[in-house]
Structures are given as structure tokens and as C-alpha cells.
Amino acid sequence: MKPAVRARWSRAVLVCGKCSRKLEGGFGPDGDQPLTKALRKRLGLKKGPKARAGIVETRCLGVCPKRAVTVVDGARPGEWLLVSPGADLDGLAQELGLSEQKTHIADGD
């Protein structure tokens, strides 16, 4: 087993999987995608350590808001976000410090 694995992530975001399943979508252009998938797609991010940033769906984070998804920004672990269905993904990406990820992709990096 390797003692460590390198990742290219500049940011890490945790999204509560239980909240996402309870909503059965609610995000993306048609409002039918889970938050994790919609945010990755909006920013052009892939999964795994080679992506520019990590958006990871976790187990239950224990907050369980009604009609929202709990999101933790790895850079600010003391302040959790509650994201409602239909939220502005560009605004959320900016709040999470991911908006620069879109710029890097557009530049061809």
C-alpha cells in the first residue's frame, strides 16, 4: 500500500449524500441532478485526484436541514452551508472558492 497519493486539488468540498438523496435532484439546468454532479458539471471538473478541485459526496453530516443540502468548504470547516434546490451554482462556486477553477479550464490548463 502506498503511504500517500498526490492530488491536484486546490480546494475540497464535502456534500452530504443523505441530504442529496432526500431531495432527489433539484440542481442543474433541468433541476434533476444531485448537487455534487451539477456543480462538477458546471465547473467542468472530473472525479478523482487528477481534478483541479475535489467535490466529494459524503455520508450523513448530521445537520439534516429541510429541503436543502449541507455543504462543507474544506478551507472553512467551521462554517457549513445549507444549499436549497435551484440555487445559483455560479454564486455557490464563487462562495466556495471554486470560481477560479472555471477560469483555468477555459484557459486550457
Side-chain angles (χ1 to χ4, degrees):
M1 185 163 111
K2 284 184 161 184
V5 176
R6 288 186 184 256
R8 295 180 187 168
W9 293 3
S10 62
R11 304 288 285 202
V13 176
L14 307 177
V15 179
C16 180
K18 186 173 180 182
C19 292
S20 292
R21 281 189 300 281
K22 285 169 105 176
L23 286 180
E24 298 177 356
F27 300 94
D30 298 326
D32 61 349
Q33 295 177 325
L35 179 59
T36 305
K37 185 173 184 175
L39 195 54
R40 265 197 216 115
K41 188 169 185 171
R42 181 76 179 130
L43 296 171
L45 296 171
K46 296 186 182 200
K47 293 181 183 180
K50 291 185 179 180
R52 295 211 173 273
I55 301 173
V56 180
E57 191 170 283
T58 66
R59 290 180 173 232
C60 182
L61 291 171
V63 177
C64 303
K66 291 186 179 186
R67 294 180 290 283
V69 177
T70 305
V71 176
V72 180
D73 179 357
R76 296 179 297 156
E79 182 181 328
W80 296 12
L81 304 173
L82 303 179
V83 182
S84 298
D88 174 29
L89 294 180
D90 289 329
L92 178 60
Q94 187 172 6
E95 189 168 351
L96 293 170
L98 295 170
S99 56
E100 68 271 6
Q101 302 304 318
K102 194 172 179 181
T103 305
H104 285 302
I105 293 163
D107 292 341
D109 277 342

